[in-house]
Amino acid sequence: MNPDKKKLPYIAPFEVVVHNNASDCWVSVLGKVFDITPLIKQYEGQDCVKPLIALAGKDLSHWFDAKTGAIRHRIHPVTGVLAPYCPNGAFPDVQCQVPDAEWKAINGRPWWDRPQYQIGILTKRVRSLRIINMLTFHEVQINVCCEDTFRRIQERYSIFNKDPDSYSWRYFDHVIDLDKTMSENGIKDDRDQFTEFGMPQNYYVPVVFLYYKDDLKYSQGEEEEFTYYKDLTDDTVCGIGHGVPYRITSPVFQSINTCICEDEEEEDDWSDYLDDLAEKEEIEESHDL
């Protein structure tokens, strides 16, 4: 029984191709992605793993029958018997191509049918996506699987922004549903139409905008990541946390449990500063009345 596909991530060919040696070997077979590094280690030094190492990071679907999922067979030109088709030589879990005194029946399931080796599902199509951070105006273009939900896309994007959850993801005038794919969020794939009209497929790449939520979720519990400072131009307390600038009015700042102070004297200075702000606000309110 094959593993539940819903629990396996979708993997693009450009992700498979980088795992292309004996110590890190991925291959794809009929839409499935396998990590056969343990298999190669098991047969280390034997000739049967040489074909797998030679084609590490590539697709091996041409070795298999698409209808049955089993290894392809042919009539051997010398013996005239039905034998596995191994154009690059025999590999693990494949019987000998010709009768041999050392022939042994295969016990159990072959490696391409064992769940422990399958790590993902090969995507049917790769899509490009532009992501623009409206706080920093940083723009990147990434390639994703067409089956990826936006939560998976967030994981891919996290190498550029370690906290993508702090942003509202939007496509034109609507908020993106993170549990749906690009197509399910109304982001169409028009590349086939571009090709039909003689236009390059990258003529237009969909763009998603990220708007910072300003949720201050780091203001409590991770104070060590923040540096607060006084802004002498107005009555606000400013700070920088996780690379994001903040402007915090004094009532909000007072709700924060602690602030960063190097010593007790500095802490007293902060307390006096906040007291002065509160007193000034009370005076301004009384004048307004």
Side-chain angles (χ1 to χ4, degrees), residues 133-169:
N133 186 327
M134 298 304 292
L135 177 65
T136 63
F137 296 102
H138 178 254
E139 177 179 345
V140 298
Q141 180 172 320
I142 62 175
N143 293 323
V144 302
C145 301
C146 66
E147 303 89 350
D148 282 345
T149 65
F150 266 90
R151 293 198 185 278
R152 173 61 176 148
I153 293 175
Q154 281 187 335
E155 293 177 6
R156 297 180 183 275
Y157 177 69
S158 62
I159 62 174
F160 304 101
N161 187 327
K162 67 178 182 179
D163 192 28
D165 285 336
S166 288
Y167 294 81
S168 174
W169 290 57

Side-chain angles (χ1 to χ4, degrees), residues 40-284:
I40 292 177
K41 187 175 182 180
Q42 178 183 347
Y43 292 91
E44 186 175 5
Q46 300 184 32
D47 291 339
C48 63
V49 294
K50 290 183 179 179
L52 297 178
I53 297 175
L55 295 178
K58 296 181 173 61
D59 185 73
L60 307 182
S61 297
H62 59 287
W63 290 359
F64 298 84
D65 188 319
K67 294 182 179 180
T68 64
I71 189 73
R72 294 174 60 187
H73 285 70
R74 64 166 183 167
I75 301 298
H76 196 278
V78 177
T79 64
V81 299
L82 190 66
Y85 175 63
C86 302
N88 298 85
F91 52 90
D93 295 334
V94 174
Q95 297 179 2
C96 299
Q97 297 189 38
V98 295
D100 190 284
E102 298 181 356
W103 181 90
K104 294 181 180 179
I106 296 177
N107 295 322
R109 299 158 67 178
W111 62 263
W112 58 87
D113 197 30
R114 298 180 196 173
Q116 65 265 34
Y117 291 124
Q118 185 179 357
I119 59 172
I121 305 169
L122 194 67
T123 182
K124 294 181 179 179
R125 198 169 195 184
V126 175
R127 296 191 62 178
S128 296
L129 178 67
R130 291 168 56 207
I131 302 176
I132 300 178
N133 186 327
M134 298 304 292
L135 177 65
T136 63
F137 296 102
H138 178 254
E139 177 179 345
V140 298
Q141 180 172 320
I142 62 175
N143 293 323
V144 302
C145 301
C146 66
E147 303 89 350
D148 282 345
T149 65
F150 266 90
R151 293 198 185 278
R152 173 61 176 148
I153 293 175
Q154 281 187 335
E155 293 177 6
R156 297 180 183 275
Y157 177 69
S158 62
I159 62 174
F160 304 101
N161 187 327
K162 67 178 182 179
D163 192 28
D165 285 336
S166 288
Y167 294 81
S168 174
W169 290 57
R170 295 175 178 267
Y171 177 68
F172 287 107
D173 60 345
H174 74 273
V175 178
I176 288 175
D177 187 336
L178 299 179
D179 294 318
K180 294 183 178 180
T181 65
M182 292 177 64
S183 297
E184 292 170 344
N185 273 286
I187 306 176
K188 298 181 180 180
D189 189 353
D190 296 322
R191 289 176 294 176
D192 290 338
Q193 291 183 338
F194 293 158
T195 301
E196 182 180 353
F197 291 107
M199 303 164 62
Q201 288 197 343
N202 62 350
Y203 177 78
Y204 170 73
V205 177
V207 57
V208 168
F209 297 94
L210 273 57
Y211 293 89
Y212 187 63
K213 296 178 182 177
D214 196 20
D215 54 7
L216 300 180
K217 72 177 183 179
Y218 291 110
S219 62
Q220 298 186 23
E222 295 190 19
E223 292 85 356
E224 68 278 4
E225 297 288 346
F226 282 80
T227 301
Y228 296 101
Y229 60 91
K230 300 178 183 179
D231 188 343
L232 301 180
T233 60
D234 55 23
D235 295 333
T236 60
V237 176
C238 302
I240 298 178
H242 294 272
V244 179
Y246 291 89
R247 299 181 65 82
I248 309 173
T249 59
S250 55
V252 175
F253 184 76
Q254 291 177 16
S255 67
I256 298 176
N257 293 331
T258 59
C259 64
I260 305 304
C261 300
E262 295 182 356
D263 50 39
E264 294 182 359
E265 182 178 352
E266 184 179 356
E267 184 175 359
D268 293 337
D269 292 340
W270 273 110
S271 299
D272 294 340
Y273 175 70
L274 294 176
D275 291 340
D276 292 341
L277 287 181
E279 183 178 352
K280 186 175 181 180
E281 289 177 355
E282 292 178 358
I283 295 174
E284 291 178 352

Side-chain angles (χ1 to χ4, degrees), residues 1-51:
M1 181 178 178
N2 291 331
D4 187 355
K5 291 187 176 182
K6 293 183 180 179
K7 297 181 180 180
L8 293 173
Y10 286 94
I11 300 176
F14 64 81
E15 296 175 286
V16 178
V17 73
V18 297
H19 303 272
N20 54 12
N21 56 72
S23 60
D24 183 18
C25 182
W26 290 13
V27 295
S28 58
V29 176
L30 300 176
K32 301 176 182 179
V33 179
F34 298 90
D35 181 358
I36 56 173
T37 307
L39 182 70
I40 292 177
K41 187 175 182 180
Q42 178 183 347
Y43 292 91
E44 186 175 5
Q46 300 184 32
D47 291 339
C48 63
V49 294
K50 290 183 179 179

